[in-house]
Amino acid sequence: MQAIKDELDRRAIQIMRDNDRGGYTIPTHGLYPYQWNWDSAFAALGFAAFDPARAWRELEILFSGQWLDGMVPHILFHRPDPGYFPGPDVWQCRGPLPSSGITQPPVSLSFARRLYEANPAMGAVPVRMLFDPMRRWVQWFMAWRSHEGAICIAHPWESGRDNAADWDKAMAAIDPHDVGTYQRRDLDHVHAAMRPTKDDYDRYIWLVQRGRRMGWHAPSLAVDQPFFVADPTMTFTLMRGVRDLIWLGEQQGLPTASLWNDLQLLEKGAETLWNPEISAYDSRNALDGEFSGTLSNASFLAWYGGIDRPELAETLMQVLRPLPYGVPSLALQDERFDPKRYWRGPVWGVLNMLVGMGLEEFGYPQGPALRQMTGRLIASHGFAEYFDPRDGAPAGGGSFTWTAAVWLAWAGVGVELG
Ligand code: 2M8
């Protein structure tokens, strides 16, 4: 068994090294050739298992793309690559590096704490350097993405769960008739049945065009938002991030007062996302107050955010019962469930890890169980972008950084194979 585990560790490290572009890591060759925000945070955790200095470098480079207003972009386009659309020419942003104009879940705040805890002596300097940029990113979220304390997305790509059923109704309100023609590149790499539809893409690009017209100026973008949905992913990852940033600040004697206020507001906001009809946390359209009625893997991030809710554990058990490999991005019972199309059914190592970590911290047996399921999934089906939740069949891109990182940082630690 140990030999199998060693071989998987070796392969995971090799994937991380192959996707390393010198200080930052791409998610996978071909499909995603740039630095993505939350992918990089997971990459940092993966590197921490074998090269802690390189782990901090990943986060430093991520924050070198931070905008003056505090936002940390969801993609940094370090070097041009015609294989991805929409690239820097479409976004036309004016940050310190070519970038997209939207953000992604701030898991990097929490992963910085994990890096620090593993090696406080090495972490002191980077924490002192990153603390203020991280605090400014939190302030940006609270200023431009908060609705009654819950954190919203202004583009489906911000959530990281890009194509989730959660956004269907809110997206239907956008009329993209004037979007014009464009050439998608994702379909050169992955089968169309696994990717978003043209209807979705028209709206994604339409929202990018709106941002570009407004010069990505946050106050202008906030007026008459066409899409603004409160998201459990954003709300719980920021809540956890703020807690961990407070902890880091206290370790290093840095100012944390404003973060305590943010945390209080986020805790109130999270409760506005509890949907009694599905007995779980749900996304909610901030423009009309409607819940989306979607049981996704983000519905179970509350523990990761620091909130225990026993009824949620019952809902989780029902969702997990028919499935061998963890929390699907959409419950099997949902009529929109699609096992291969990304974020509409498949299982992701990264979401299993966040949900599992939270459950482990609160002492639920489902936490270690999720870790084992994820370990066995990766051991038997490889380091794919995501997996069919019914049989584990790999899907999307291959040799994926965050799946390798999840193995090294969590799923492969203590896994029982065989
Ligand atoms: C996917 O998103 C990108 C756009 O950001 C895409 O489909 O082109 C999502 O799974 C997202 O969460 C992830 O960060 C990104 C890179 O892995 O791919």
Side-chain angles (χ1 to χ4, degrees):
M1 282 320 103
Q2 190 55 40
I4 299 176
K5 160 97 173 61
D6 290 348
E7 171 59 13
L8 285 159
D9 287 351
R10 197 196 57 73
R11 278 172 53 202
I13 291 172
Q14 194 57 49
I15 288 172
M16 307 263 332
R17 290 206 167 115
D18 289 348
N19 289 338
D20 184 353
R21 292 293 175 271
Y24 74 91
T25 314
I26 59 166
T28 186
H29 176 71
L31 182 62
Y32 304 127
Y34 297 111
Q35 183 179 18
W36 259 261
N37 188 320
W38 74 327
D39 298 66
S40 246
F42 282 100
L45 279 194
F47 280 120
F50 63 99
D51 186 351
R54 177 63 185 77
W56 281 112
R57 189 82 193 115
E58 187 81 25
L59 297 186
E60 286 159 10
I61 294 201
L62 176 63
F63 277 83
S64 73
Q66 182 170 36
W67 287 15
L68 272 180
D69 68 1
M71 190 196 72
V72 183
H74 104 293
I75 308 177
L76 296 178
F77 302 110
H78 294 280
R79 292 178 218 156
D81 190 314
Y84 183 80
F85 175 87
D89 51 322
V90 180
W91 289 92
Q92 291 183 15
C93 293
R94 282 189 297 268
L97 295 172
S99 75
S100 68
I102 56 173
T103 196
Q104 258 190 338
V107 289
S108 52
L109 310 184
S110 297
F111 296 173
R113 172 177 172 170
R114 274 191 54 149
L115 300 192
Y116 179 90
E117 281 183 300
N119 187 340
M122 176 182 278
V125 171
V127 162
R128 295 187 76 83
M129 205 176 97
L130 288 171
F131 184 80
D132 202 50
M134 288 182 166
R135 206 170 49 89
R136 290 199 299 113
W137 192 20
V138 173
Q139 282 169 349
W140 176 88
F141 272 112
M142 301 313 284
W144 303 114
R145 291 294 185 269
S146 167
H147 176 79
E148 298 169 359
I151 301 301
C152 299
I153 54 168
H155 190 298
W157 288 341
E158 285 200 315
S159 69
R161 300 184 298 120
D162 302 17
N163 192 30
D166 299 55
W167 329 127
D168 288 359
K169 267 197 229 149
M171 284 279 271
I174 294 175
D175 172 7
H177 72 275
D178 53 351
V179 71
T181 52
Y182 58 90
Q183 172 84 46
R184 280 174 72 166
R185 302 309 303 265
D186 56 324
L187 302 180
D188 301 347
H189 307 286
V190 171
H191 194 278
M194 295 183 185
R195 295 289 301 176
T197 62
K198 171 162 168 42
D199 276 1
D200 284 321
Y201 249 82
D202 281 354
R203 288 169 173 79
Y204 299 154
I205 302 307
W206 188 90
L207 284 168
V208 172
Q209 292 171 347
R210 174 177 183 269
R212 187 174 70 194
R213 267 199 310 279
M214 298 185 171
W216 298 104
H217 178 241
S220 311
L221 287 165
V223 178
D224 296 331
Q225 293 264 27
F227 179 90
F228 206 54
V229 183
D231 170 24
T233 336
M234 281 297 195
T235 305
F236 289 122
T237 56
L238 187 64
M239 189 187 288
R240 170 68 178 253
V242 170
R243 280 186 216 289
D244 290 331
L245 203 51
I246 290 174
W247 185 90
L248 284 170
E250 286 174 348
Q251 295 298 305
Q252 289 295 316
L254 299 165
T256 57
S258 69
L259 293 168
W260 284 105
N261 293 338
D262 298 335
L263 185 57
Q264 254 185 358
L265 202 60
L266 284 162
E267 280 170 352
K268 278 200 199 121
E271 286 322 298
T272 68
L273 301 186
W274 178 260
N275 182 352
E277 278 183 24
I278 59 169
S279 198
Y281 291 93
D282 193 2
S283 49
R284 186 170 201 174
N285 191 339
L287 304 182
D288 61 15
E290 292 274 314
F291 279 116
S292 77
T294 310
L295 211 45
S296 74
N297 37 11
S299 300
F300 304 104
L301 287 172
W303 296 289
Y304 175 80
I307 294 178
D308 186 16
R309 191 120 191 189
E311 339 64 300
L312 187 61
E314 280 166 35
T315 310
L316 177 63
M317 262 145 57
Q318 285 162 23
V319 167
L320 287 179
R321 198 163 293 130
L323 297 170
Y325 293 121
V327 200
S329 41
L330 187 59
L332 195 63
Q333 299 80 355
D334 194 303
E335 57 183 19
R336 300 165 295 180
F337 173 83
D338 186 343
K340 303 267 192 237
R341 201 181 294 274
Y342 97 150
W343 297 107
R344 299 182 76 89
V347 69
W348 257 261
V350 283
L351 261 293
N352 269 1
M353 174 170 151
L354 299 180
V355 174
M357 276 171 62
L359 287 161
E360 286 178 333
E361 285 162 3
F362 278 93
Y364 282 91
Q366 291 93 337
L370 259 183
R371 189 194 279 252
Q372 293 297 326
M373 287 181 206
T374 312
R376 285 198 287 265
L377 170 65
I378 296 173
S380 51
H381 294 95
F383 296 92
E385 180 178 6
Y386 62 84
F387 306 85
D388 186 322
R390 303 161 308 172
D391 58 8
S399 300
F400 220 85
T401 295
W402 68 14
T403 310
V406 163
W407 172 266
L408 292 169
W410 184 71
V413 182
V415 67
E416 287 154 25
L417 302 171

